[in-house]
Amino acid sequence: MQISSRFTIASHILVYVATYHEEEKITSDVLATSIQVNPVIIRNILSQLKKAGLIAVKRGQGGVTILKPYDQISLFDLYQAVESVKNNQLFHFHQQPSQDCPVGRNIHLLLDDKLQRVQTAMEKELSQISLAQILADGRAYLS
């Protein structure tokens, strides 16, 4: 299992916007330079963040703004906005394990509840970390 880089890119975007929104107009090109990815990737993630109601984006040279107070945006909000978790399941099983094999026949019974506990714990931890906390932790590094 690996969460895609969209999550950390989204986090980088919000930290950058929160840090520099008063100093400069923040565009996808500015963000792409900071993150070192193609601006198209930035625009796609900005679109997902906008759809989630976390940011506003003005076309052209308008820039990006954060719509919610920083203490009301959690890492879980970012995760939900940019990661595609099918059927609310972080862990995906291989297709059709053998029903002729005792392990294949019972793998879901053996793992499903444990993997759900792991996912729930991760989501709880992400929910408890706000953009405000990240900015406070990084105050010495971001100035």
Side-chain angles (χ1 to χ4, degrees):
M1 169 201 71
Q2 183 175 20
I3 294 174
S4 77
S5 63
R6 289 187 308 269
F7 173 69
T8 54
I9 291 171
S11 301
H12 189 137
I13 287 170
L14 262 64
V15 170
Y16 190 97
V17 172
T19 302
Y20 294 111
H21 71 279
E22 292 179 0
E23 297 174 28
E24 63 181 292
K25 195 175 298 183
I26 301 168
T27 65
S28 58
D29 289 332
V30 167
L31 292 165
T33 299
S34 175
I35 300 168
Q36 290 293 290
V37 296
N38 189 300
V40 172
I41 293 170
I42 298 299
R43 286 191 284 276
N44 289 336
I45 293 172
L46 288 173
S47 176
Q48 291 175 299
L49 294 171
K50 181 179 176 182
K51 184 177 177 183
L54 299 174
I55 64 167
V57 180
K58 293 181 184 171
R59 290 221 171 263
Q61 295 295 316
V64 178
T65 54
I66 297 174
L67 296 177
K68 294 182 174 184
Y70 301 158
D71 64 344
Q72 293 179 19
I73 299 174
S74 71
L75 288 181
F76 185 62
D77 295 326
L78 299 180
Y79 167 78
Q80 285 187 306
V82 301
E83 292 296 335
S84 61
V85 178
K86 295 178 183 172
N87 301 322
N88 196 33
Q89 293 181 329
L90 180 62
F91 299 96
H92 300 280
F93 272 94
H94 44 287
Q95 298 270 330
Q96 304 173 352
S98 173
Q99 296 303 299
D100 296 330
C101 170
V103 174
R105 188 171 46 249
N106 293 293
I107 194 67
H108 283 282
L109 291 172
L110 298 172
L111 290 178
D112 283 355
D113 65 323
K114 294 158 188 67
L115 296 179
Q116 185 57 52
R117 287 196 324 256
V118 169
Q119 179 177 339
T120 300
M122 181 195 81
E123 291 173 352
K124 180 182 176 189
E125 286 297 317
L126 289 174
S127 295
Q128 294 176 359
I129 302 168
S130 71
L131 177 58
Q133 290 170 300
I134 294 167
L135 293 168
D137 290 347
R139 193 163 281 126
Y141 305 106
L142 301 176
S143 47

